Amino acid sequence: MSADDTPDVVVLRQKIHGLSADEYAETLRERLPDKNVVLARTPAEERELLKQTPVATGFNIDADVLAEAENLDLFACVFAGTGHLPMEALNEHGVAVTNASGVHGPNIAEQVVGAILSFARRFHVAWRQKQRNEWRSYPTHELQGSTVTVIGLGAIGQAIVDRLDPFGVDTIGVRYTPEKGGPTDEVVGFDDEAGFHDALARSKYVVVACPLTDTTRGILDSDAFKTMHPDTVLVNIGRGPVVDTDALLDALRGNAIRGAALDVTDPEPLPDDHELWNFDNVLITPHNAGHTPKYWERMADIIAENVERLGKGKTELQNQV
């Protein structure tokens, strides 16, 4: 390979949300017309190209290829979460890591608002009656005046709060550093058990928008569901294990909550014989909230900015982990 053919950015052969890696590479070429963006189509091509490129992007990278990736300065992960990456190996080889924080904000926030409105206006009842050609009025709810707790105030949590604002709701945010405040009317900390349960007790909608950590794993347990009002709806677009599935099932069986909208579950994928499928008041989507036709556009913006920074010798990168 000649010097002119040396890749500036390598797109790994990995698809997400049904989106083609070819489309990702083409979007990057349009965004970086002066750079050589190459798509690795086979495992052998990946290994060879990673030896030469300063920037690689995909959802994962094998730790065993890093020893030969001597020129690699940046791995741009196309996921917001990076817990699946070999971070120790990347650090050891001096490879910076960025994530897709902010890419999902608009689409996931719209999914959350849609789920909340669906439960408020009880569209699921309308769909069932339509299937029976049944013209019969049914009671509904109003979102206005409700309290919504958003667990996690990262880019996605903030986008959710922004889109809820015009609906006239009161919002409570839960975050690690409540002293930072946030876009919500109130903020409590994960370690403030009394404040957290007070928020759950007052909320008609509880939205999970946090990553999975030792602190958040199972934070919505049987005690949390006992605290929630029977009219509360759970919306989870974060990670499945943040919610204790057995406790959620108990709450649903006992009418301890009004329902749930789950884009993520534990286990995942949800087995076809799992009890969660059987509840009329549970909306399940297959980890689909992250899908958007603008995914690659937003990823390309992040990478283009960081390629420019690297070219200027800057070490501080956008979305650096």
Tab-separated table of all heavy atoms in Angstrom, residues 116-161:
chain	number	residue	atom	x	y	z
A	116	ILE	N	-44.747	7.549	27.163
A	116	ILE	CA	-45.511	8.209	28.228
A	116	ILE	C	-46.880	8.645	27.712
A	116	ILE	O	-47.915	8.424	28.363
A	116	ILE	CB	-44.719	9.411	28.788
A	116	ILE	CG1	-43.517	8.911	29.598
A	116	ILE	CG2	-45.611	10.299	29.649
A	116	ILE	CD1	-42.599	10.018	30.088
A	117	LEU	N	-46.903	9.255	26.525
A	117	LEU	CA	-48.181	9.692	25.964
A	117	LEU	C	-49.087	8.508	25.651
A	117	LEU	O	-50.315	8.592	25.790
A	117	LEU	CB	-47.940	10.513	24.694
A	117	LEU	CG	-47.370	11.918	24.909
A	117	LEU	CD1	-47.017	12.549	23.569
A	117	LEU	CD2	-48.362	12.796	25.663
A	118	SER	N	-48.483	7.404	25.228
A	118	SER	CA	-49.276	6.217	24.931
A	118	SER	C	-50.004	5.715	26.174
A	118	SER	O	-51.181	5.341	26.116
A	118	SER	CB	-48.375	5.114	24.373
A	118	SER	OG	-49.118	3.948	24.089
A	119	PHE	N	-49.306	5.738	27.322
A	119	PHE	CA	-49.951	5.315	28.562
A	119	PHE	C	-50.922	6.372	29.080
A	119	PHE	O	-51.970	6.036	29.645
A	119	PHE	CB	-48.902	4.987	29.627
A	119	PHE	CG	-48.412	3.565	29.557
A	119	PHE	CD1	-47.313	3.228	28.788
A	119	PHE	CD2	-49.075	2.558	30.240
A	119	PHE	CE1	-46.864	1.925	28.719
A	119	PHE	CE2	-48.635	1.242	30.172
A	119	PHE	CZ	-47.529	0.918	29.400
A	120	ALA	N	-50.577	7.653	28.886
A	120	ALA	CA	-51.476	8.712	29.351
A	120	ALA	C	-52.803	8.674	28.601
A	120	ALA	O	-53.880	8.778	29.199
A	120	ALA	CB	-50.817	10.083	29.187
A	121	ARG	N	-52.735	8.513	27.283
A	121	ARG	CA	-53.944	8.508	26.460
A	121	ARG	C	-54.452	7.094	26.187
A	121	ARG	O	-55.456	6.897	25.506
A	121	ARG	CB	-53.678	9.221	25.125
A	121	ARG	CG	-53.182	10.646	25.294
A	121	ARG	CD	-54.042	11.481	26.245
A	121	ARG	NE	-55.438	11.551	25.794
A	121	ARG	CZ	-56.426	11.992	26.541
A	121	ARG	NH1	-56.218	12.366	27.789
A	121	ARG	NH2	-57.661	12.034	26.057
A	122	ARG	N	-53.731	6.082	26.710
A	122	ARG	CA	-54.135	4.675	26.665
A	122	ARG	C	-54.383	4.191	25.232
A	122	ARG	O	-55.388	3.541	24.923
A	122	ARG	CB	-55.368	4.453	27.542
A	122	ARG	CG	-55.140	4.859	29.007
A	122	ARG	CD	-56.304	4.438	29.875
A	122	ARG	NE	-56.347	2.982	30.044
A	122	ARG	CZ	-57.446	2.306	30.389
A	122	ARG	NH1	-58.604	2.957	30.543
A	122	ARG	NH2	-57.413	1.003	30.535
A	123	PHE	N	-53.409	4.480	24.377
A	123	PHE	CA	-53.532	4.050	22.983
A	123	PHE	C	-53.577	2.527	22.851
A	123	PHE	O	-54.153	2.003	21.887
A	123	PHE	CB	-52.367	4.599	22.157
A	123	PHE	CG	-52.396	6.093	21.988
A	123	PHE	CD1	-51.230	6.834	22.051
A	123	PHE	CD2	-53.578	6.774	21.750
A	123	PHE	CE1	-51.242	8.214	21.893
A	123	PHE	CE2	-53.608	8.146	21.585
A	123	PHE	CZ	-52.431	8.873	21.658
A	124	HIS	N	-52.977	1.825	23.804
A	124	HIS	CA	-52.988	0.365	23.732
A	124	HIS	C	-54.423	-0.171	23.840
A	124	HIS	O	-54.764	-1.188	23.221
A	124	HIS	CB	-52.101	-0.245	24.815
A	124	HIS	CG	-52.425	0.177	26.214
A	124	HIS	ND1	-52.215	1.451	26.679
A	124	HIS	CD2	-52.950	-0.521	27.262
A	124	HIS	CE1	-52.586	1.528	27.942
A	124	HIS	NE2	-53.044	0.344	28.321
A	125	VAL	N	-55.267	0.525	24.600
A	125	VAL	CA	-56.676	0.127	24.686
A	125	VAL	C	-57.366	0.349	23.334
A	125	VAL	O	-58.134	-0.494	22.861
A	125	VAL	CB	-57.394	0.924	25.793
A	125	VAL	CG1	-58.890	0.601	25.801
A	125	VAL	CG2	-56.769	0.622	27.154
A	126	ALA	N	-57.059	1.486	22.717
A	126	ALA	CA	-57.653	1.787	21.411
A	126	ALA	C	-57.256	0.756	20.362
A	126	ALA	O	-58.088	0.330	19.545
A	126	ALA	CB	-57.241	3.184	20.962
A	127	TRP	N	-55.980	0.339	20.373
A	127	TRP	CA	-55.532	-0.660	19.400
A	127	TRP	C	-56.295	-1.978	19.589
A	127	TRP	O	-56.710	-2.615	18.618
A	127	TRP	CB	-54.028	-0.910	19.544
A	127	TRP	CG	-53.166	0.086	18.828
A	127	TRP	CD1	-52.328	0.996	19.377
A	127	TRP	CD2	-53.071	0.255	17.406
A	127	TRP	NE1	-51.721	1.738	18.407
A	127	TRP	CE2	-52.142	1.315	17.189
A	127	TRP	CE3	-53.668	-0.363	16.307
A	127	TRP	CZ2	-51.801	1.749	15.910
A	127	TRP	CZ3	-53.327	0.079	15.037
A	127	TRP	CH2	-52.409	1.114	14.842
A	128	ARG	N	-56.469	-2.391	20.860
A	128	ARG	CA	-57.175	-3.648	21.112
A	128	ARG	C	-58.634	-3.549	20.653
A	128	ARG	O	-59.168	-4.481	20.043
A	128	ARG	CB	-57.110	-4.008	22.605
A	128	ARG	CG	-55.745	-4.506	23.054
A	128	ARG	CD	-55.850	-5.319	24.330
A	128	ARG	NE	-56.395	-4.532	25.438
A	128	ARG	CZ	-55.662	-3.791	26.264
A	128	ARG	NH1	-54.361	-3.729	26.098
A	128	ARG	NH2	-56.230	-3.122	27.248
A	129	GLN	N	-59.292	-2.422	20.950
A	129	GLN	CA	-60.685	-2.265	20.544
A	129	GLN	C	-60.820	-2.188	19.023
A	129	GLN	O	-61.791	-2.708	18.454
A	129	GLN	CB	-61.281	-0.999	21.195
A	129	GLN	CG	-61.459	-1.150	22.704
A	129	GLN	CD	-62.200	0.018	23.345
A	129	GLN	OE1	-62.391	0.056	24.551
A	129	GLN	NE2	-62.640	0.976	22.551
A	130	LYS	N	-59.844	-1.568	18.376
A	130	LYS	CA	-59.877	-1.480	16.916
A	130	LYS	C	-59.836	-2.876	16.279
A	130	LYS	O	-60.510	-3.149	15.286
A	130	LYS	CB	-58.696	-0.645	16.411
A	130	LYS	CG	-58.595	-0.544	14.891
A	130	LYS	CD	-57.398	0.312	14.502
A	130	LYS	CE	-57.248	0.371	12.984
A	130	LYS	NZ	-56.868	-0.923	12.406
A	131	GLN	N	-59.037	-3.763	16.872
A	131	GLN	CA	-58.942	-5.114	16.330
A	131	GLN	C	-60.271	-5.865	16.430
A	131	GLN	O	-60.507	-6.821	15.689
A	131	GLN	CB	-57.840	-5.892	17.067
A	131	GLN	CG	-56.442	-5.369	16.745
A	131	GLN	CD	-55.381	-5.992	17.641
A	131	GLN	OE1	-55.690	-6.581	18.684
A	131	GLN	NE2	-54.121	-5.853	17.251
A	132	ARG	N	-61.151	-5.391	17.345
A	132	ARG	CA	-62.460	-6.025	17.510
A	132	ARG	C	-63.584	-5.189	16.888
A	132	ARG	O	-64.759	-5.482	17.108
A	132	ARG	CB	-62.748	-6.226	19.014
A	132	ARG	CG	-61.759	-7.126	19.737
A	132	ARG	CD	-62.275	-7.476	21.124
A	132	ARG	NE	-62.345	-6.311	21.998
A	132	ARG	CZ	-61.398	-5.965	22.879
A	132	ARG	NH1	-60.310	-6.713	22.990
A	132	ARG	NH2	-61.548	-4.902	23.636
A	133	ASN	N	-63.198	-4.124	16.146
A	133	ASN	CA	-64.202	-3.205	15.557
A	133	ASN	C	-65.153	-2.690	16.640
A	133	ASN	O	-66.362	-2.584	16.432
A	133	ASN	CB	-65.017	-3.888	14.453
A	133	ASN	CG	-64.151	-4.346	13.301
A	133	ASN	OD1	-63.009	-3.919	13.161
A	133	ASN	ND2	-64.692	-5.212	12.468
A	134	GLU	N	-64.572	-2.358	17.780
A	134	GLU	CA	-65.381	-1.998	18.944
A	134	GLU	C	-65.332	-0.492	19.188
A	134	GLU	O	-64.288	0.069	19.534
A	134	GLU	CB	-64.853	-2.747	20.173
A	134	GLU	CG	-65.632	-2.483	21.453
A	134	GLU	CD	-65.067	-3.271	22.628
A	134	GLU	OE1	-64.293	-4.229	22.396
A	134	GLU	OE2	-65.384	-2.917	23.770
A	135	TRP	N	-66.481	0.182	19.009
A	135	TRP	CA	-66.589	1.624	19.284
A	135	TRP	C	-67.120	1.795	20.696
A	135	TRP	O	-68.312	1.665	20.956
A	135	TRP	CB	-67.515	2.272	18.252
A	135	TRP	CG	-67.653	3.756	18.430
A	135	TRP	CD1	-68.478	4.399	19.302
A	135	TRP	CD2	-66.935	4.775	17.728
A	135	TRP	NE1	-68.321	5.757	19.204
A	135	TRP	CE2	-67.378	6.026	18.232
A	135	TRP	CE3	-65.971	4.761	16.716
A	135	TRP	CZ2	-66.880	7.237	17.762
A	135	TRP	CZ3	-65.481	5.967	16.249
A	135	TRP	CH2	-65.935	7.180	16.771
A	136	ARG	N	-66.184	2.066	21.642
A	136	ARG	CA	-66.585	2.192	23.036
A	136	ARG	C	-65.626	3.142	23.740
A	136	ARG	O	-64.401	2.966	23.673
A	136	ARG	CB	-66.559	0.826	23.730
A	136	ARG	CG	-66.992	0.859	25.201
A	136	ARG	CD	-67.246	-0.556	25.726
A	136	ARG	NE	-66.093	-1.425	25.602
A	136	ARG	CZ	-65.128	-1.520	26.524
A	136	ARG	NH1	-65.187	-0.788	27.639
A	136	ARG	NH2	-64.111	-2.331	26.345
A	137	SER	N	-66.172	4.168	24.379
A	137	SER	CA	-65.339	5.133	25.082
A	137	SER	C	-64.630	4.472	26.266
A	137	SER	O	-65.140	3.504	26.843
A	137	SER	CB	-66.201	6.298	25.570
A	137	SER	OG	-65.414	7.254	26.239
A	138	TYR	N	-63.462	5.001	26.608
A	138	TYR	CA	-62.722	4.468	27.753
A	138	TYR	C	-62.031	5.627	28.468
A	138	TYR	O	-61.717	6.665	27.862
A	138	TYR	CB	-61.689	3.422	27.298
A	138	TYR	CG	-60.742	3.912	26.236
A	138	TYR	CD1	-59.549	4.565	26.560
A	138	TYR	CD2	-61.040	3.737	24.877
A	138	TYR	CE1	-58.689	5.028	25.591
A	138	TYR	CE2	-60.175	4.191	23.903
A	138	TYR	CZ	-59.001	4.838	24.264
A	138	TYR	OH	-58.146	5.299	23.290
A	139	PRO	N	-61.770	5.516	29.766
A	139	PRO	CA	-61.135	6.607	30.522
A	139	PRO	C	-59.656	6.743	30.159
A	139	PRO	O	-58.992	5.757	29.813
A	139	PRO	CB	-61.307	6.186	31.986
A	139	PRO	CG	-61.432	4.699	31.926
A	139	PRO	CD	-62.138	4.384	30.631
A	140	THR	N	-59.143	7.981	30.221
A	140	THR	CA	-57.735	8.247	29.942
A	140	THR	C	-57.146	9.118	31.050
A	140	THR	O	-57.817	9.441	32.026
A	140	THR	CB	-57.571	8.949	28.585
A	140	THR	OG1	-58.227	10.224	28.637
A	140	THR	CG2	-58.152	8.115	27.448
A	141	HIS	N	-55.902	9.512	30.862
A	141	HIS	CA	-55.199	10.346	31.823
A	141	HIS	C	-54.698	11.601	31.113
A	141	HIS	O	-54.697	11.674	29.881
A	141	HIS	CB	-53.997	9.596	32.423
A	141	HIS	CG	-54.346	8.286	33.045
A	141	HIS	ND1	-54.582	8.127	34.391
A	141	HIS	CD2	-54.505	7.054	32.485
A	141	HIS	CE1	-54.867	6.858	34.650
A	141	HIS	NE2	-54.824	6.185	33.503
A	142	GLU	N	-54.238	12.576	31.907
A	142	GLU	CA	-53.545	13.734	31.362
A	142	GLU	C	-52.101	13.720	31.847
A	142	GLU	O	-51.833	13.432	33.015
A	142	GLU	CB	-54.199	15.047	31.806
A	142	GLU	CG	-55.426	15.418	31.018
A	142	GLU	CD	-55.840	16.871	31.245
A	142	GLU	OE1	-55.097	17.612	31.929
A	142	GLU	OE2	-56.918	17.240	30.736
A	143	LEU	N	-51.192	14.039	30.932
A	143	LEU	CA	-49.783	14.139	31.312
A	143	LEU	C	-49.525	15.433	32.073
A	143	LEU	O	-48.734	15.466	33.024
A	143	LEU	CB	-48.906	14.073	30.054
A	143	LEU	CG	-47.404	14.238	30.249
A	143	LEU	CD1	-46.859	13.236	31.254
A	143	LEU	CD2	-46.683	14.100	28.905
A	144	GLN	N	-50.194	16.507	31.675
A	144	GLN	CA	-50.004	17.801	32.325
A	144	GLN	C	-50.234	17.695	33.828
A	144	GLN	O	-51.181	17.074	34.287
A	144	GLN	CB	-50.973	18.820	31.742
A	144	GLN	CG	-50.874	20.202	32.385
A	144	GLN	CD	-51.767	21.207	31.696
A	144	GLN	OE1	-51.471	21.655	30.602
A	144	GLN	NE2	-52.878	21.540	32.333
A	145	GLY	N	-49.307	18.289	34.587
A	145	GLY	CA	-49.430	18.280	36.039
A	145	GLY	C	-48.835	17.057	36.704
A	145	GLY	O	-48.793	16.980	37.937
A	146	SER	N	-48.375	16.077	35.889
A	146	SER	CA	-47.757	14.873	36.454
A	146	SER	C	-46.326	15.167	36.898
A	146	SER	O	-45.704	16.133	36.466
A	146	SER	CB	-47.723	13.751	35.412
A	146	SER	OG	-49.007	13.436	34.945
A	147	THR	N	-45.832	14.300	37.745
A	147	THR	CA	-44.413	14.352	38.122
A	147	THR	C	-43.691	13.207	37.427
A	147	THR	O	-44.158	12.059	37.455
A	147	THR	CB	-44.227	14.233	39.646
A	147	THR	OG1	-44.832	15.367	40.275
A	147	THR	CG2	-42.753	14.193	40.015
A	148	VAL	N	-42.573	13.528	36.784
A	148	VAL	CA	-41.765	12.535	36.078
A	148	VAL	C	-40.375	12.517	36.694
A	148	VAL	O	-39.705	13.556	36.763
A	148	VAL	CB	-41.653	12.849	34.572
A	148	VAL	CG1	-40.854	11.757	33.859
A	148	VAL	CG2	-43.033	13.008	33.945
A	149	THR	N	-39.943	11.357	37.153
A	149	THR	CA	-38.569	11.202	37.638
A	149	THR	C	-37.727	10.570	36.537
A	149	THR	O	-38.096	9.536	35.981
A	149	THR	CB	-38.520	10.325	38.907
A	149	THR	OG1	-39.037	11.077	40.004
A	149	THR	CG2	-37.097	9.917	39.245
A	150	VAL	N	-36.604	11.206	36.239
A	150	VAL	CA	-35.670	10.692	35.236
A	150	VAL	C	-34.401	10.251	35.959
A	150	VAL	O	-33.683	11.072	36.540
A	150	VAL	CB	-35.343	11.762	34.173
A	150	VAL	CG1	-34.359	11.203	33.155
A	150	VAL	CG2	-36.623	12.235	33.485
A	151	ILE	N	-34.144	8.960	35.924
A	151	ILE	CA	-32.972	8.393	36.602
A	151	ILE	C	-31.802	8.420	35.629
A	151	ILE	O	-31.744	7.633	34.689
A	151	ILE	CB	-33.261	6.963	37.087
A	151	ILE	CG1	-34.470	6.955	38.021
A	151	ILE	CG2	-32.035	6.371	37.794
A	151	ILE	CD1	-34.925	5.559	38.428
A	152	GLY	N	-30.891	9.334	35.854
A	152	GLY	CA	-29.765	9.530	34.957
A	152	GLY	C	-29.926	10.823	34.173
A	152	GLY	O	-30.887	10.957	33.412
A	153	LEU	N	-29.009	11.765	34.382
A	153	LEU	CA	-29.100	13.060	33.719
A	153	LEU	C	-27.914	13.294	32.792
A	153	LEU	O	-27.366	14.391	32.730
A	153	LEU	CB	-29.207	14.195	34.751
A	153	LEU	CG	-30.533	14.315	35.503
A	153	LEU	CD1	-30.490	15.478	36.477
A	153	LEU	CD2	-31.705	14.465	34.529
A	154	GLY	N	-27.527	12.245	32.074
A	154	GLY	CA	-26.528	12.410	31.021
A	154	GLY	C	-27.170	13.054	29.810
A	154	GLY	O	-28.254	13.650	29.896
A	155	ALA	N	-26.532	12.913	28.654
A	155	ALA	CA	-27.044	13.550	27.433
A	155	ALA	C	-28.459	13.078	27.111
A	155	ALA	O	-29.320	13.880	26.724
A	155	ALA	CB	-26.101	13.257	26.263
A	156	ILE	N	-28.723	11.779	27.278
A	156	ILE	CA	-30.052	11.254	26.964
A	156	ILE	C	-31.074	11.729	27.990
A	156	ILE	O	-32.180	12.167	27.636
A	156	ILE	CB	-30.016	9.714	26.892
A	156	ILE	CG1	-29.198	9.273	25.675
A	156	ILE	CG2	-31.428	9.139	26.828
A	156	ILE	CD1	-28.951	7.786	25.606
A	157	GLY	N	-30.720	11.659	29.279
A	157	GLY	CA	-31.633	12.121	30.306
A	157	GLY	C	-31.998	13.583	30.141
A	157	GLY	O	-33.166	13.973	30.293
A	158	GLN	N	-31.013	14.394	29.792
A	158	GLN	CA	-31.281	15.816	29.598
A	158	GLN	C	-32.166	16.052	28.376
A	158	GLN	O	-33.047	16.916	28.391
A	158	GLN	CB	-29.966	16.585	29.461
A	158	GLN	CG	-29.167	16.605	30.757
A	158	GLN	CD	-27.954	17.503	30.690
A	158	GLN	OE1	-28.002	18.598	30.153
A	158	GLN	NE2	-26.846	17.036	31.245
A	159	ALA	N	-31.946	15.271	27.305
A	159	ALA	CA	-32.801	15.403	26.117
A	159	ALA	C	-34.241	15.033	26.437
A	159	ALA	O	-35.189	15.657	25.926
A	159	ALA	CB	-32.264	14.518	24.986
A	160	ILE	N	-34.427	14.036	27.287
A	160	ILE	CA	-35.781	13.638	27.706
A	160	ILE	C	-36.452	14.773	28.474
A	160	ILE	O	-37.605	15.126	28.205
A	160	ILE	CB	-35.712	12.360	28.569
A	160	ILE	CG1	-35.275	11.165	27.716
A	160	ILE	CG2	-37.065	12.085	29.231
A	160	ILE	CD1	-34.873	9.948	28.533
A	161	VAL	N	-35.726	15.357	29.420
A	161	VAL	CA	-36.291	16.450	30.219
A	161	VAL	C	-36.647	17.636	29.330
A	161	VAL	O	-37.707	18.259	29.492
A	161	VAL	CB	-35.295	16.863	31.325
A	161	VAL	CG1	-35.812	18.091	32.077
A	161	VAL	CG2	-35.073	15.711	32.299
